[in-house]
């Protein structure tokens, strides 16, 4: 029991240090005053992948980097930039994978073709399976 307590006492300070001491960006968790501008910002944030989590959009992620990206999107929307221009800037800076909708290119075509190929392969396997069952 003493060993477990000693390990916990050693690990507790490390867990406390895992939280960032940097305050969140100004607009990371604060909505814009203009509801239409906030709607445009939110629609864009839903389509951008968190660079840390990678499985969540920046709108849903609690990562510090996602907060910084939300603040950046809101600042640029408030300054009058179009969402398409902000997306283009982020893609140029972080690459196509920052977007949940990567463009069709020589690098991304397997991502678009794989679902179709899997459906075709499944249909071929199913057809062969049904043919074998039908034979006496």
């Amino acid at each position: 029991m003493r060993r477990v307590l000693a390990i916990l006492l050693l690990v507790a300070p490390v867990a406390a240090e895992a939280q960032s001491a940097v305050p969140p960006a100004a607009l990371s968790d604060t909505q814009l005053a203009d509801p239409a501008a906030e709607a445009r910002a939110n629609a864009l944030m839903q389509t951008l992948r968190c660079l840390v989590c990678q499985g969540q959009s920046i709108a849903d992620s609690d990562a510090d980097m996602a907060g910084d990206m939300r603040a950046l999107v809101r600042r640029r929307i408030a300054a009058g930039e179009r969402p398409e221009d902000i997306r283009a800037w982020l893609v140029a800076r972080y690459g196509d994978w920052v977007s949940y909708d990567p463009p069709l290119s020589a690098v991304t075509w397997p991502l678009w073709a794989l679902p179709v190929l899997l459906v075709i392969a499944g249909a071929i396997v199913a057809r062969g399976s049904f043919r074998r069952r039908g034979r006496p």
Side-chain angles (χ1 to χ4, degrees):
M1 186 64 155
R2 288 182 184 170
R3 288 183 182 172
V4 172
L5 184 59
I7 291 172
L8 287 175
L9 289 173
L10 289 173
V11 172
V14 174
E17 289 296 319
Q19 297 297 323
S20 175
V22 177
L27 290 173
S28 65
D29 297 318
T30 305
Q31 294 186 353
L32 296 173
D34 179 12
E38 179 61 29
R40 286 192 308 275
N42 194 37
L44 176 59
M45 290 186 286
Q46 292 291 337
T47 66
L48 296 171
R49 187 184 319 269
C50 175
L51 300 173
V52 177
C53 306
Q54 297 179 11
Q56 291 181 307
S57 70
I58 64 170
D60 299 328
S61 175
D62 290 330
D64 291 339
M65 182 69 177
D68 291 343
M69 290 175 73
R70 284 192 303 269
L72 178 129
V73 167
R74 285 186 173 120
R75 275 195 311 270
R76 288 183 167 217
I77 290 285
E81 281 190 59
R82 296 179 330 158
E84 299 82 24
D85 296 336
I86 299 168
R87 171 189 296 287
W89 183 83
L90 288 168
V91 167
R93 181 169 183 161
Y94 298 113
D96 286 332
W97 70 275
V98 75
S99 174
Y100 276 122
D101 188 19
L104 183 59
S105 69
V107 175
T108 62
W109 74 263
L111 293 173
W112 294 99
L114 189 62
V116 174
L117 294 174
L118 289 174
V119 168
I120 291 170
I124 291 170
V125 169
R127 183 176 178 200
S129 177
F130 291 139
R131 280 190 170 180
R132 275 183 263 159
R133 285 189 190 172
R135 293 184 185 162

